[in-house]
Amino acid sequence: MIKHDVLIVGAGLAGMRAAIECCEDLSVGLLTKVYPSRSHSGAAQGGIAAALGNSEDDSWEEHMFDTIKGGDYLNDQDAVEEYVKAAPRIIYELEHFGCVFSRMADGRIAQRSFGGHSKPRACFSADRTGHAILHALHEQLMKRGKEIRIYNEWYLHSLIVEEDQCHGVVVSNVKTGEVEIIQAKSVIFATGGYGRVFKITTNAYASTADGAIAAFNAGVPLEDPEFVQFHPSGLYRQGILFSEAARGEGGYLLNGKGERFMEAYAPARMELAPRDIVSRAEQSEIDAGRGWNGEGCIALDLRHLGEARIMERLPQIRQLGIDFIGVDCIKAPLPIQPSAHYSMGGIPTDMFGQVILNKDKAPLKGFFAAGECACVSVHGGNRLGTNSLLDATVFGERTGKSAAEHARSVGFGQINEGREKAGVLKQIEEIFQRTGTESYNDIRNTMKDTMMEQCGVFRDSGKLNECLKQIKLLQEKFKKGKVTDKGKVFNTELFEIIELGNMLKMAEIITVGALNREESRGGHYRTDFPKRDDDKFLNHTLVHKDGDQLKLDKKPVVITKYPPKERTY
Amino acid sequence: MTTFRIKRFNPEKQPDPYWEEIDYDIPDGATLLDCLNDIKWTMDGTLSYRMSCRSAICGSCGMKANGHALLACQRQAEHLIKEGTDSITIEPMGNMPVVKDLVVDMEPFWDKVNQVKPFLKEEGERPEKERRQSPAEFKLIDDASTCIMCGCCYSDCNTLEVDKNFLGPAALAKAQRFVQDSRDTATNERIRELSESGGIWDCTHCAECVERCPKPAKPMDRIKEMMGVAIEEGVTNNNGARHALSFVKSVKHSGRVNENTLPLESMGYFNVKGLMELVPVGLRMLLKGKIPPIIHKNIDDVEDVRRIFRELGE
Ligand SMILES: Cc1cc2nc3c(=O)[nH]c(=O)nc-3n(C[C@H](O)[C@H](O)[C@H](O)COP(=O)(O)OP(=O)(O)OC[C@H]3O[C@@H](n4cnc5c(N)ncnc54)[C@H](O)[C@@H]3O)c2cc1C
Ligand code: SF4
Ligand code: SF4
Ligand code: FES
């Protein structure tokens, strides 16, 4: 059996930052199903927020207020305060690590505007910010190669929990197919988001809810799952992201009549209103038959920015347009549509990354979570652009610290190795033994279509009930699927099937959360309840596992500085 | 209908790789990755390859199509159909052992990256805020920092084919990112290490990596930049640099070097700096008595050759 003081699952920004924090005097394992540098953090383009005040005066208070207003007042304000205060230090540290940032003429870090932020506070590296930070952190891991053991291309199956204490994880080595137990005093999940549940998404194929569902299966509730962010500028039909930086740099959104339609929805902020608002505006235009070229898309027009600025600030976006649809944004607008982008909800934690089990915040000792898979909640009902890389880095660090402290204070517990391993082996064997004829591909596609149509930008009880029925049907079909690869070596089909199982569960949890929340707030919009309802719903959703059923509960929102107000832009 | 000729390998089933032909209708606008996914999900679930972001940023989906490494998610499948045929040949990347089908073992690749000490070396106290770096200084490392570690360059590097000791293009591009980072304090030490055997002077400047790189990282250009740094830093007491300097001298003296006439002319006979950049091409050729890598076997159409000359002429 493999043993580590701290075992981290996920090597995006959150996981790697956590590893750096706890490797000094402890044995650290970092496990990831893709190589660290292939984590989806690398796809982040636009920037990372911090009130450095490099190009305009700025303060953590303003950053805090923007974040809370952007989140439609569902954020826990004590956590937001810690988070925005830590931001400048975290950015300087990344810079000291060697991260490559775009600069101002005087050599300081350049900053640009982003949706929902009242000041230009997005630090960036051209339009490859996530990539630059991911690689800078990966470099730090390579520097600490002796201290941190990296398990590249290992897959997390489940969490080992006895009573209120976590003891490790059950995993597979993808290359050999061997199932192993890793025992740890502290386990951190940093497994990212689950946008792949939806048809049109900016997320990578690897963003499949594995971590969230492993936690859920171990008795941890999921918080605010109904809050999914739809990004206004995913490539039409595919979801490949064109960063909000395109609008931050001054890009226009045009409907089929050539109008800058945001005038009618958010006259003060126009294209730079928060994402939930822009996505709904786009969808409304499309639904009203005012799509670009009469199709289900909107035009992102950058032509007026000119070649020089596009080449300097948005080179990768231009290349994406050329590679994936043959459109050069210097000469023509890009067709875009709302695309599932970010999971505000996730594994509930306190502001130190400690995972909690219920509304009274009882801890699951030794279990921590950070990054997109976690819900602290600093983003509330809607995350502002550039706030997520910051979340992953700030809470990666904080969680690393908590996990290290915990690991220093306890010894290794007892694990029933045989039983834990057998559980996963049985699950795999069961998949291999299935003799049904259902196609996993059809199941996956139907799930994605259903979630997009019925649980997407606009929701109502009719659609959501329909959605839930369909998802349950798919869960049944899933058990009757057909497998072609029963080998051990690099069996990607097997892991895709397990991921699909996780996503089907996640889809159900999202839908149930959405059905329950009879109001509209942030990224969650109910056409049958179009107003925010603070009396009934100014609280977090907790979805608990109750046998095969789901049980709903509420957790209060922490409000310190900014009492809820109407949210207009 | 297009025939996908795919090189399959499954060590659990049989020890040798074999070719499989799959007929498949390429949907409009589908990338090579879209096609492979569709084949995997609807025809043969055992087909194995890596992929994640499908937007050319994670570097997972490197493989060879028609003999050249590329990112499957970045190319329209239509464009890959070989002229005069209706087929696309797909193989795993080269220079790395194959694990299964299109999945290669990238450990040798990462080992090399690790060897160049790919992290910023700092001295003294860190400033309270950010270190200053001018936009011009940023520009020097901007290209190298776009590398996504896909391995396409490593796969097709000619030197690596004959010399496993060579650090290879990606690791060297990564090295440049630090050698020329205004914040790094170990320039001289780095360039010394990089000048040893297996380092910058072993590159034959075949430009294959520039052709294959899906990003602006373009390793050979970075290698040339580091050669410049080596000369500037006076790190010339090693075989590579010495040969390079004497080669330039001899060329200057005689003004004629057989098969290298073409590249030499494209640079100008007495453009010492330009010649410097070409040196290792000639060097390899002279030392090993090989044909110039410029007409290496892998380069099989004229447009490829033209592009390479354009690159060299820069
Ligand atoms: C296209 C795009 C652009 C974005 N742009 C921005 C931006 O400009 N600014 C911003 O602030 N935010 C942006 N975001 C959001 C932000 O990038 C993410 O929220 C953030 O990077 C998440 O980081 P993470 O460390 O939590 O997870 P990730 O980087 O997604 O990493 C997840 C890790 O978990 C591992 N993992 C998952 N499941 C398993 C398993 N079963 N077994 C083993 N390992 C597993 C993966 O291998 C991976 O290493 C963007 C998101 C997308 C999709
Ligand atoms: S130019 Fe040099 S590094 Fe690039 S492929 Fe050729 S030999 Fe390899
Ligand atoms: S240098 Fe280019 S081809 Fe080589 S690994 Fe980096 S991105 Fe890939
Ligand atoms: S899938 Fe990420 S680079 Fe192709």
Side-chain angles (χ1 to χ4, degrees), chain A residues 211-222:
Chain A
I213 296 302
F216 182 76
N217 286 336
V220 177
L222 294 180

Side-chain angles (χ1 to χ4, degrees), chain B:
Chain B
M1 198 63 96
T2 304
T3 305
F4 283 68
R5 288 188 71 236
I6 305 180
K7 195 171 191 179
R8 305 290 308 264
F9 172 61
N10 184 348
E12 288 177 289
K13 290 253 162 74
Q14 64 180 72
D16 298 316
Y18 60 95
W19 289 96
E20 184 175 45
E21 297 197 347
I22 297 174
D23 289 330
Y24 178 75
D25 245 336
I26 300 176
D28 255 359
T31 62
L32 174 58
L33 179 64
D34 292 334
C35 297
L36 291 176
N37 282 342
D38 202 28
I39 290 171
K40 179 178 178 68
W41 294 336
T42 62
M43 297 158 82
D44 181 1
T46 64
L47 180 62
S48 305
Y49 46 89
R50 292 188 178 99
M51 53 104 182
S52 185
C53 73
R54 59 80 166 91
S55 56
I57 190 66
C58 75
S60 298
C61 66
M63 59 185 69
K64 276 188 182 178
N66 304 327
H68 301 303
L70 48 69
L71 296 178
C73 71
Q74 199 187 24
R75 297 297 184 89
Q76 297 285 313
E78 289 262 317
H79 300 166
L80 294 171
I81 299 176
K82 255 194 114 127
E83 222 171 288
T85 75
D86 49 9
S87 72
I88 306 176
T89 304
I90 316 281
E91 299 163 80
M93 286 195 289
N95 285 328
M96 287 168 273
V98 181
V99 176
K100 181 182 179 189
D101 293 342
L102 306 174
V103 178
V104 294
D105 177 1
M106 291 197 74
E107 286 311 317
F109 170 90
W110 287 108
D111 282 348
K112 304 268 174 75
V113 173
N114 256 309
Q115 277 177 41
V116 305
K117 308 206 174 86
F119 41 83
L120 195 76
K121 293 204 178 165
E122 330 162 58
E123 261 170 26
E125 288 276 293
R126 284 175 173 175
E128 187 196 335
K129 295 190 172 177
E130 69 266 57
R131 293 193 194 81
R132 300 290 175 108
Q133 181 167 58
S134 71
E137 288 166 336
F138 164 80
K139 201 101 203 76
L140 286 177
I141 53 173
D142 188 26
D143 285 338
S145 74
T146 63
C147 170
I148 56 173
M149 299 288 166
C150 62
C152 288
C153 55
Y154 193 93
S155 158
D156 289 18
C157 171
N158 290 308
T159 300
L160 272 167
E161 247 171 70
V162 294
D163 180 6
K164 292 289 167 230
N165 187 38
F166 182 47
L167 282 168
L172 289 172
K174 186 80 175 171
Q176 186 273 340
R177 189 231 155 295
F178 296 102
V179 165
Q180 295 199 275
D181 191 326
S182 59
R183 301 167 295 178
D184 192 272
T185 54
T187 309
N188 192 275
E189 179 192 324
R190 287 183 188 277
I191 211 73
R192 266 173 210 289
E193 288 178 13
L194 290 164
S195 295
E196 282 166 18
S197 146
I200 49 177
W201 301 101
D202 283 6
C203 161
T204 61
H205 287 212
C206 68
E208 195 69 29
C209 56
V210 171
E211 283 290 284
R212 301 305 148 227
C213 180
K215 292 283 152 181
K218 312 286 182 228
M220 185 184 75
D221 296 346
R222 310 286 82 80
I223 293 170
K224 285 189 207 164
E225 286 161 3
M226 287 190 290
M227 289 174 165
V229 175
I231 305 288
E232 261 169 43
E233 290 275 318
V235 181
T236 50
N237 190 20
N238 55 69
N239 282 344
R242 260 202 312 272
H243 278 296
L245 290 170
S246 73
F247 182 80
V248 174
K249 227 165 81 193
S250 96
V251 172
K252 253 178 107 176
H253 185 72
S254 73
R256 188 171 67 91
V257 184
N258 310 334
E259 288 165 278
N260 276 327
T261 317
L262 254 178
L264 286 179
E265 278 177 351
S266 77
M267 299 302 290
Y269 272 87
F270 296 101
N271 170 355
V272 179
K273 188 161 177 290
L275 283 176
M276 271 299 309
E277 296 187 339
L278 283 181
V279 164
V281 178
L283 240 191
R284 279 268 146 180
M285 205 178 63
L286 292 179
L287 293 178
K288 297 211 167 163
K290 279 174 82 176
I291 52 161
I294 304 168
I295 45 172
H296 191 273
K297 61 175 170 21
N298 277 1
I299 296 158
D300 52 13
D301 63 38
V302 186
E303 186 42 32
D304 269 350
V305 177
R306 286 208 194 102
R307 249 177 303 173
I308 287 167
F309 278 112
R310 249 179 275 138
E311 282 294 336
L312 289 171
E314 258 178 27

Side-chain angles (χ1 to χ4, degrees), chain A residues 9-15 31-34 39-41 43-47 114 154-156 190-193 202-203 206 210-211 241 341-342 370-373 383 385-390 392:
Chain A
V9 184
L13 258 50
L31 183 126
T32 164
K33 65 178 175 180
V34 301
S39 298
H40 204 48
S41 289
Q45 302 170 352
F114 240 79
W154 285 52
Y155 186 91
L156 160 89
T191 51
T202 63
N203 284 197
D210 305 341
L241 183 74
H341 182 59
Y342 185 81
E372 190 171 338
C373 74
R383 166 183 75 91
T386 70
N387 263 355
S388 163
L389 293 178
L390 182 66

